[in-house]
Every structure is written in structure tokens, then in C-alpha cells.
Amino acid sequence: MLKRLYHRLVSSATRELREQNIELAQRLCKLESVLAELVERSVHIEDKESCLSDELSCLMSKENEISERLSCVENSGAELAVRTAHIEDREIELLERTSRIEKAEAELAVRTAHIEDREIESLERASRIEKAEAELAVRAAHIEDREIELTERCVHIEEREIGLLRDILSARENIEVAKICLSQQIESVGYVLKDSARIHFIRCIDVYNAGDINCSPLDYFSEFKKKFLCYLHTIKNINYSLIHDGDYVVIGGGGMLDCSVQYQAEINRLLSMPVKVVSWGLGHNTHTEDCIFHCDLSRKIAYEKFFILGTRDWQYSEKEMFVPCVSCMMPQLDKKSLCKRRIGVVEHHAIHIDEFDFDKISNSESVEVITDFIASSEIIITNSYHVAYWSILMERKVVVYKPFSNKFDFFKYKPVVYSGNLELDISSAQVYEGAKEEFRRLNIDFSKKVMKCITGK
């Protein structure tokens, strides 16, 4: 930029000098023409000197005039010299400024080169960092792939273990559960008349939760399969294309009421259809705010639209019939075992219990493993609803550890909630004899009620 300014100044000064030189040249040209004329005249005068002496005085006067003009020209020349000197001074000043600019540019070039060197060094460092990051990313991806592979293997092993240990389900029913996961129709077992009623059993299937796996009425009351055309759906994947007007829909069991946005929406959608919806042992399940399962439920369930509303929650509402969870029908609850431990812990697979140093399993184990563990313990500490429920039915003392949902508030035969003083809690816990038989009778009676509503007999 300084170079451009310098060139502009030099160009401007040069133009001015050129213009002045042209003007002087013009004046000199005029003077030369005048001098030439004077020379001619002088020659002419000399030639005619002899005869024009009388004109000499006139010529002398003209000569004086010319001298004056020459004096003016000389003055103009002096002025031009002064201006030229001024211009030269300006040129010297511009040269000095140009020199300083060149020095500054040279210094700037050195600094720029230094900056460029540092940029190159930074780029090289960044390149090395990127290579290291890429290498770490590759290693992390490899580790993640290994973790995913191991997780998939663990899940596969757990699923196989659960499938092998569910002896209450026949091979045919296991195939049906697999079809549920693929959103396909489950065909009824046994001979079904062409005009038989159609019943859709809606359940919650969580392969990591033994309670969810074993709380469908269809697992214990096979007469529905024999008399009606039955379909089995999961609450998260209902095949609505199979549900026709006038069909019956049985939802249960599990804590699916007031539990999640998806459950609310699916239940309300079923209640809005021209079908008869039965709640069989459903439970209210609003989670506490600090629970990982907590969610805000703005839409409520239209309970008044249920054809029959039977819930597992004791005295929750006058409009609800008390129907305990149908898993009370499990034959595993009848087992007897020698006591192996005073206190056993069964934790929810997603909410761990780490406070105690006792034998511990989780509710992701098979129902056989869980009921064996309960039968061989005097006291059960748990934060699983179904483990607490089964322990009560197996006549064990139960301490519920830090309940995370209101589902623990509505047991008919209540366990003790952990207060922080375990021995005090154990001393106040009760054993409830006959609860299992009572709850089985209630489910049998409810099955007859549902059967009568369907058949009219």
C-alpha cells in the first residue's frame, strides 16, 4: 500500500514537472523565435547600418526592451530553478520514505516468514494429533465393536437361558412369542370353531424382567385357546390390523397403567376402538421423579371405557375390581426348600442394590432361579414388584428397598419399606399365610367372569 502511495506521489510530481517543463519550453521557444527575429533584424540592421543609422536609436530601445524580457526570462528561470530544487527536495523525501517503507516491508516479510514457519509447525503438530486421534478412534471403534459383540453374546446367552428355563411355556408358545416380536399373528392352539369369538391378549414382554415374562393370563388359562381364536400382542407392537370390530381385548398383567407415554397412548387407542377391553391384573405404575423410568404424563387413561376393569392394586379405587397379578398361578411358587441363608437380595436389573453384603441375584434371572432363591431364604430384600409379590405368596418376610414407583403402595398384604434400620424392619415384617391360595381363587373367579361375558353362559 505504501508502494502504491509512493508511486502516486512520484507520478503526480512528475506530471507537474512535465507541465512546467512544457510551459518553459514554450516560453523558450517563443524567446528563441524572438531572438531569431532579432538576429535577423540585427543582420538586416548591419547590412543596412550604413543607411539606417537614424534607426539605431530605435533599435537600441528595442534592444533594451529585449534585455528586459531576457531579464524576465532569467527571473523565470531562477523561479523554475527554485521549484526544481523544491521538487528535488520532495523527491529526496519520497526516496527516504520509500526506503523506510522498503525496510518495513522487509521486516514484515521476515515476520510473515516466521509466522508461516510457525503455521507449518502447527499444521505438522495438528497432523500428528489427527493421526493419533484417528488411531485412537480406530482403537475405540475396535473396543466398541468388541463390547457390542460381547453384549450381543451376553444377550443371546440370557435369552437362550430364559427360553430354556421357562418350563411353563410349551414349545408352541415359545414360537408364538417369537412371532409377537416380529409383529405377526399368533394362531390359537387347539380346535377352534369358525365363528368363535376373537380375543387379543396384550402383554408387556421384557426378556430381562421375569415378572413381565410370566404375567400373561393366557399362560395359565388354556381354555381360552381351546374355545376362542386368540391373538397375542406386545404393548409396544400391537398389530391393529388383526383387531376387528366386536373383538375382545385382554390387557395384562404388569404395571402398564400411568407408566409411560407409549403405554398410555396404546391403551387409550384400544379403548377408543369398537371392542370390549378387559384389564386383567394391570397395575398402576407412576415412577418417582428421581427414577430412570420417570416421565411426564399429560394424557390420562379413559378408565370409564373399560368393559371390565380388574387391577392388582388393593383399594386403589372403588371403580376397580381387585384381581391380583395372575403370576400367582405359577407352580414354582409351591416349591419348598431348605433354608440356605437368612437374608437374600433380589435387585431390579436396571436399579441396583449395593448397600448390603448378602447373597444377591437380579430379576433378570429365570423364574426357576428366582423362586429357588426365595425358597432358600428367610428374608428377601428387593426393589422388584414381582419378586416382593412372589416372596409374600411363598410366605417369606419382605423388605422393599427404596421403592421407585407407587406400585409398591397397593399390596393387599404389605411388605415393610426399608427405613435404614434393617433389623428393625425385619422385626416388623410379617409372614402372610394363605395369600397364594386366596389370590389364585380370585384369578380363577375372574377367568370365569371373563369367559361368561364372552360366551354369555
Side-chain angles (χ1 to χ4, degrees):
M1 187 173 180
L2 289 174
K3 283 185 176 182
R4 292 179 182 175
L5 178 59
Y6 166 73
H7 288 306
R8 288 180 183 175
L9 290 173
V10 171
S11 298
S12 175
T14 303
R15 282 195 301 272
E16 186 177 351
L17 286 173
R18 285 178 181 174
E19 290 174 359
Q20 289 178 357
N21 288 332
I22 291 170
E23 182 179 356
L24 289 173
Q26 290 175 353
R27 289 182 182 181
L28 288 173
C29 185
K30 288 180 181 180
L31 290 173
E32 288 176 355
S33 64
V34 171
L35 288 172
E37 182 180 356
L38 289 174
V39 171
E40 289 177 0
R41 287 183 182 182
S42 297
V43 173
H44 184 65
I45 289 170
E46 288 176 357
D47 292 337
K48 293 183 179 182
E49 185 176 1
S50 59
C51 61
L52 298 173
S53 57
D54 55 346
E55 297 180 1
L56 181 60
S57 59
C58 181
L59 290 173
M60 290 178 67
S61 62
K62 289 184 178 180
E63 185 177 359
N64 291 332
E65 183 180 353
I66 291 170
S67 296
E68 291 176 357
R69 289 182 180 181
L70 286 172
S71 178
C72 291
V73 169
E74 289 174 356
N75 292 334
S76 298
E79 183 180 355
L80 178 61
V82 172
R83 290 185 179 181
T84 302
H86 181 67
I87 290 170
E88 289 175 353
D89 293 338
R90 292 283 301 275
E91 287 179 349
I92 292 169
E93 183 182 353
L94 289 173
L95 288 172
E96 291 176 351
R97 293 178 66 181
T98 302
S99 177
R100 290 195 297 272
I101 290 170
E102 289 175 350
K103 289 180 181 179
E105 287 178 344
E107 184 179 353
L108 181 61
V110 171
R111 291 183 180 179
T112 302
H114 181 64
I115 291 171
E116 289 176 350
D117 292 340
R118 293 194 63 182
E119 286 180 348
I120 292 170
E121 183 180 353
S122 298
L123 289 173
E124 290 175 351
R125 288 181 180 177
S127 178
R128 290 195 297 271
I129 291 170
E130 288 176 355
K131 288 179 180 178
E133 289 178 345
E135 184 178 352
L136 289 174
V138 171
R139 291 181 181 178
H142 180 66
I143 292 171
E144 289 177 358
D145 292 340
R146 290 288 303 278
E147 288 179 348
I148 292 171
E149 182 181 354
L150 290 174
T151 301
E152 290 176 349
R153 289 181 182 179
C154 290
V155 171
H156 182 65
I157 291 170
E158 289 174 356
E159 289 176 348
R160 287 189 64 187
E161 182 179 353
I162 290 172
L164 291 173
L165 295 176
R166 286 192 300 178
D167 56 4
I168 61 171
L169 294 176
S170 65
R172 179 65 174 176
E173 290 169 332
N174 285 331
I175 294 173
E176 291 175 353
V177 172
K179 288 183 178 180
I180 292 171
C181 300
L182 297 173
S183 305
Q184 296 179 354
Q185 175 180 346
I186 303 302
E187 297 182 356
S188 61
V189 178
Y191 177 77
V192 180
L193 296 175
K194 181 179 179 181
D195 297 327
S196 295
R198 297 160 54 92
I199 307 178
H200 301 268
F201 287 85
I202 313 294
R203 63 183 297 176
C204 175
I205 294 183
D206 179 356
V207 296
Y208 298 105
N209 189 326
D212 285 342
I213 294 172
N214 294 279
C215 66
S216 173
L218 197 60
D219 294 337
Y220 307 100
F221 294 94
S222 59
E223 57 267 29
F224 287 95
K225 299 177 185 178
K226 297 176 181 178
K227 294 184 178 181
F228 309 110
L229 184 60
C230 296
Y231 299 87
L232 192 57
H233 309 257
T234 65
I235 187 67
K236 294 182 179 180
N237 194 8
I238 300 173
N239 190 342
Y240 287 98
S241 65
L242 297 176
I243 302 177
H244 301 166
D245 293 357
D247 286 358
Y248 288 84
V249 175
V250 176
I251 310 177
M256 291 191 280
L257 300 176
D258 304 321
C259 176
S260 74
V261 174
Q262 182 181 8
Y263 289 2
Q264 299 286 91
E266 300 295 347
I267 292 172
N268 277 322
R269 181 175 177 181
L270 291 168
L271 291 171
S272 67
M273 298 174 67
V275 295
K276 295 179 180 179
V277 181
V278 176
S279 166
W280 191 326
L282 282 177
H284 297 272
N285 190 12
T286 302
H287 297 94
T288 57
E289 292 185 358
D290 60 342
C291 177
I292 59 174
F293 302 119
H294 174 74
C295 60
D296 294 324
L297 300 175
S298 58
R299 186 179 180 186
K300 304 301 181 183
I301 293 175
Y303 289 102
E304 70 279 359
K305 293 185 179 180
F306 275 99
F307 180 63
I308 304 175
L309 179 55
T311 71
R312 69 188 187 185
D313 299 323
W314 175 251
Q315 295 181 341
Y316 183 90
S317 168
E318 294 181 355
K319 297 179 180 179
E320 298 180 9
M321 180 187 304
F322 176 60
V323 182
C325 176
V326 74
S327 62
C328 67
M329 306 298 295
M330 293 192 310
Q332 290 90 339
L333 299 178
D334 299 326
K335 66 178 60 174
K336 303 295 181 182
S337 177
L338 294 176
C339 182
K340 296 180 182 179
R341 67 190 68 82
R342 178 170 180 258
I343 300 173
V345 178
V346 185
E347 65 183 5
H348 191 284
H349 68 87
I351 305 175
H352 303 301
I353 301 175
D354 298 321
E355 183 173 342
F356 310 106
D357 188 21
F358 303 126
D359 290 347
K360 181 171 70 173
I361 62 173
S362 82
N363 70 334
S364 64
E365 299 286 353
S366 68
V367 69
E368 286 78 11
V369 171
I370 294 173
T371 51
D372 283 343
F373 188 83
I374 295 171
S376 58
S377 304
E378 292 182 22
I379 302 146
I380 293 295
I381 301 172
T382 187
N383 58 353
S384 162
Y385 177 89
H386 282 96
V387 172
Y389 179 63
W390 298 336
S391 299
I392 291 170
L393 299 184
M394 295 179 75
E395 300 180 2
R396 294 295 183 266
K397 288 187 174 184
V398 180
V399 177
V400 173
Y401 181 82
K402 295 183 180 180
F404 53 85
S405 163
N406 68 342
K407 64 184 177 181
F408 296 99
D409 299 338
F410 303 103
F411 284 104
K412 181 176 181 179
Y413 299 109
K414 298 188 179 299
V416 174
V417 176
Y418 180 58
S419 66
N421 188 332
L422 182 58
E423 290 301 326
L424 180 63
D425 296 336
I426 291 174
S427 66
S428 61
Q430 298 183 49
V431 171
Y432 299 101
E433 298 180 357
K436 177 180 63 179
E437 290 73 18
E438 175 189 348
F439 287 178
R440 285 178 173 176
R441 285 195 302 272
L442 288 172
N443 271 275
I444 292 170
D445 292 343
F446 190 78
S447 71
K448 293 177 180 178
K449 180 180 180 67
V450 174
M451 186 73 71
K452 184 176 180 180
C453 289
I454 298 172
T455 61
K457 299 178 182 178

